[in-house]
Amino acid sequence: GLSIMEIAHKYDVDLEGACEGSLACSTCHVIVEPDWYARLQPAREDEEDMLDLAFGLTKTSRLGCQII
Ligand code: FES
């Protein structure tokens, strides 16, 4: 399936994704509604590491390229 980031790009939503989903940036940072956050597969270690560098990190932050 498409990631949230790819869907955003498809529909002209203003979300970056400088590394095209290779977990080498945090420009695809999204803040997920808590109800939905709980339903996602948990972030893996490598996503967490990159997420730590994201601007304005929240408890329900994810990287959009990793939400599929
Ligand atoms: Fe770079 Fe998601 S697009 S980590």
Side-chain angles (χ1 to χ4, degrees):
L2 294 175
S3 68
I4 290 284
M5 179 195 76
E6 289 166 322
I7 294 167
H9 290 174
K10 191 170 166 186
Y11 291 100
D12 277 331
V13 176
D14 189 14
L15 178 67
E16 273 189 63
C19 77
E20 298 292 339
S22 58
L23 279 176
C25 74
S26 57
T27 61
C28 63
H29 175 208
V30 294
I31 297 171
V32 183
E33 290 286 340
D35 285 355
W36 285 101
Y37 185 83
R39 295 189 215 182
L40 301 175
Q41 297 277 344
R44 290 188 326 226
E45 186 95 33
D46 45 357
E47 180 183 346
E48 293 287 0
D49 289 348
M50 203 44 74
L51 208 42
D52 284 339
L53 306 175
F55 175 77
L57 190 67
T58 75
K59 276 190 185 154
T60 62
S61 288
R62 293 292 304 265
L63 292 180
C65 68
Q66 300 302 306
I67 302 175
I68 300 182

